[in-house]
Amino acid sequence: MQPASPRLVLKPGRDKSLRHRHPWIFSGAIARAEGDPKSGDTVSVVAPDGAFLAWAAYSSESQIRARVWSFDAADTVDDQFLQRQLAASIARRKRLLGEGDAMRLVHGESDGLPGLIADRFGETIVVHILSAGAERWRDFWGRALVELTGASSVYERSDAEVRALEGLPHRVGAMLGTPPSRARIVEDGIAYDVDVVRGQKTGFYLDQRDNRLLAATLARDAEVLNAFCYTGGFSLSALRSGAKRVTSLDTSEEALELARHNVGINGLDASRAEWLAADVFAQLRKFRDQGRRFDLIVLDPPKFAPTEKHVPNAARAYKDINLWAMKLLAPGGHLLTFSCSGAVSADLFQKIVAGAAADARADVQIRRHLGAALDHPVSIHFPEGEYLKGLWLQAA
Ligand code: SAH
């Protein structure tokens, strides 16, 4: 007889979120674990009366003690099951975005694959493994992604801080094949070289694709400021659509160097691009002292609030940069302002920006609420997946 798989029995009343198909089971909801599960093992999760709720990946160290693979008792979590999930995730992108060579193929929980992120950059796929459950299937992901996409290499960038919460060490390196030192992608007609080995996160922020297109529509003949520019995403969009001048700020010299290189490979007019290795907080104040004004400002800072407890400090930082950016807006100027902190809700972010506008005495209107591109879906059962939020504001 097959040994019964280990199982988690929930406390009375703690089955509600699973019945609503939320994919996380917190340690506090579990009455007991039976069958001695190890981190990464597939367990069944049952209500106090023994009723089946889900198949999930156990994680012994994390407060998120298990993440759901399937809500269907008839499923078996194995290579075939995961291959079907991967294939479905990739097929959804194909229907929405066509073949494209720069695309997030898997977006974790929201694609039914908790803890797995996979970004395609040309012939290379960069993988982030963020949970004990996804880690268990590490060898499988590489093989399956190559089989499903025809990519020639898979590179692992499992260096996110959240791995520590799962009891996992950082791991970076080639999984399959050898990635090029720079992977060339084309996004909306603009080429970028992506450094998958040394770049930030997976190497390129695909989530801002739609917002870069929006910036392009606002940049014609404009004085543009791109704060936190990384490898030049918004800067190149603005240059290509005829900005008068684009000033870009980042503290990373390495990112700025790649940004300049990206201007070159597109044959854009480098004399209209100014790159400053500078701290945005200080530089915005300097621009104010110098009397500089901008018709379009993009604020796309790093995650100021990695967790809930960082929110108060993050709120101060968001307020500060937004306040100073608003002081630099020319009459009728546009501000595209973002937060990628999951712990800062869209509602809170808007309140912070409203506070900044009040203190800056800026009369701005909301033109549109902004979010991540289509290949970064948010499952309706997993609101935590909505990490990137933004506002398009226009000054009076
Ligand atoms: N908008 C970019 C992504 C920005 S990521 C794109 O579309 O590709 C955030 C960037 O902010 C990183 O490149 C990081 O180096 C930079 N950064 C972080 N803190 C900074 C600071 N205080 N001043 C300037 N740049 C900063």
Side-chain angles (χ1 to χ4, degrees):
M1 210 176 90
Q2 283 276 98
S5 72
R7 60 178 207 167
L8 305 180
V9 183
L10 297 189
K11 290 178 182 164
R14 299 301 293 270
D15 53 343
K16 196 166 163 226
S17 75
L18 271 188
R19 293 192 191 277
H20 282 95
R21 301 179 83 88
H22 190 282
W24 289 350
I25 298 114
F26 287 94
S27 59
I30 299 169
R32 61 183 189 279
E34 295 175 352
D36 191 23
K38 303 281 181 294
S39 242
D41 285 355
T42 300
V43 294
S44 60
V45 186
V46 300
D49 65 0
F52 174 90
L53 295 169
W55 296 111
Y58 187 70
S59 179
S60 58
E61 308 250 329
S62 176
Q63 285 307 304
I64 305 171
R65 195 54 50 92
R67 300 182 196 226
V68 172
W69 289 123
S70 163
F71 291 99
D72 187 344
D75 278 335
T76 304
V77 179
D78 56 11
D79 286 16
Q80 283 91 37
F81 170 82
L82 296 171
Q83 179 111 356
R84 281 198 304 278
Q85 295 288 89
L86 268 185
S89 187
I90 293 168
R92 281 192 288 274
R93 269 67 178 177
K94 213 174 262 182
R95 282 197 297 276
L96 279 168
L97 297 164
E99 287 289 346
D101 68 353
M103 206 179 284
R104 174 150 296 189
L105 300 175
V106 180
H107 190 50
E109 275 76 349
S110 289
D111 277 311
L113 291 165
L116 181 70
I117 302 289
D119 282 355
R120 176 168 200 161
F121 301 118
E123 288 304 301
T124 304
I125 293 176
V126 180
V127 165
H128 267 327
I129 295 176
L130 304 172
S131 68
E135 177 88 358
R136 167 62 57 92
W137 300 90
R138 180 175 177 269
D139 295 339
F140 167 78
W141 304 129
R143 272 184 281 120
L145 283 165
V146 164
E147 193 182 315
L148 289 166
T149 64
S152 60
S153 63
V154 180
Y155 195 78
E156 181 176 9
R157 287 290 304 266
S158 296
D159 49 2
E161 293 310 317
V162 291
R163 277 179 65 95
L165 304 177
E166 297 276 322
L168 302 170
H170 284 191
R171 195 177 42 230
V172 169
M175 259 184 173
L176 280 176
T178 313
S181 63
R182 282 176 178 179
R184 175 76 50 95
I185 59 168
V186 178
E187 180 189 272
D188 294 311
I190 301 179
Y192 297 91
D193 275 347
V194 178
D195 187 338
V196 300
V197 176
R198 292 154 58 98
Q200 298 176 20
K201 300 284 174 70
T202 62
F204 191 77
Y205 293 92
L206 293 166
D207 52 359
Q208 288 287 21
R209 183 189 308 110
D210 297 355
N211 300 319
R212 284 189 279 264
L213 260 188
L214 169 64
T217 66
L218 303 173
R220 173 161 294 281
D221 295 325
E223 267 297 332
V224 179
L225 172 61
N226 182 14
F228 310 97
C229 67
Y230 187 46
T231 54
F234 285 96
S235 310
L236 268 71
S237 305
L239 282 172
R240 206 226 356 213
S241 61
K244 205 184 295 163
R245 178 162 55 162
V246 181
T247 302
S248 307
L249 311 177
D250 205 286
T251 41
S252 162
E253 297 272 6
E254 225 173 331
L256 290 171
E257 189 196 314
L258 190 47
R260 284 196 204 90
H261 164 88
N262 285 334
V263 171
I265 62 176
N266 287 281
L268 293 165
D269 180 1
S271 72
R272 288 187 287 125
E274 178 187 16
W275 305 97
L276 295 177
D279 170 47
V280 168
F281 293 86
Q283 192 62 39
L284 294 179
R285 288 167 167 83
K286 258 188 217 162
F287 284 150
R288 173 74 177 177
D289 292 344
Q290 294 164 358
R292 295 233 354 219
R293 282 280 183 282
F294 298 93
D295 306 301
L296 170 63
I297 301 179
V298 179
L299 289 180
D300 183 24
K303 200 193 283 176
F304 285 155
T307 67
E308 211 61 56
K309 73 169 193 283
H310 299 92
V311 169
N313 280 341
R316 276 191 286 280
Y318 286 122
K319 183 170 177 186
D320 187 79
I321 54 174
N322 280 280
L323 190 159
W324 288 93
M326 286 187 224
K327 286 179 186 266
L328 297 174
L329 275 185
H334 299 271
L335 172 62
L336 304 182
T337 181
F338 299 95
S339 160
C340 61
S341 301
V344 174
S345 68
D347 198 39
L348 174 59
F349 183 58
Q350 185 167 324
K351 285 196 178 104
I352 295 167
V353 176
D359 286 9
R361 299 180 176 283
D363 190 6
V364 296
Q365 295 176 323
I366 299 173
R367 288 276 163 267
R368 206 167 281 170
H369 290 86
L370 306 172
L374 290 175
D375 46 349
H376 295 62
V378 181
S379 160
I380 196 150
H381 307 297
F382 185 62
E384 291 86 344
E386 193 161 22
Y387 69 102
L388 181 67
K389 68 281 306 180
L391 293 167
W392 166 14
L393 303 173
Q394 187 174 18

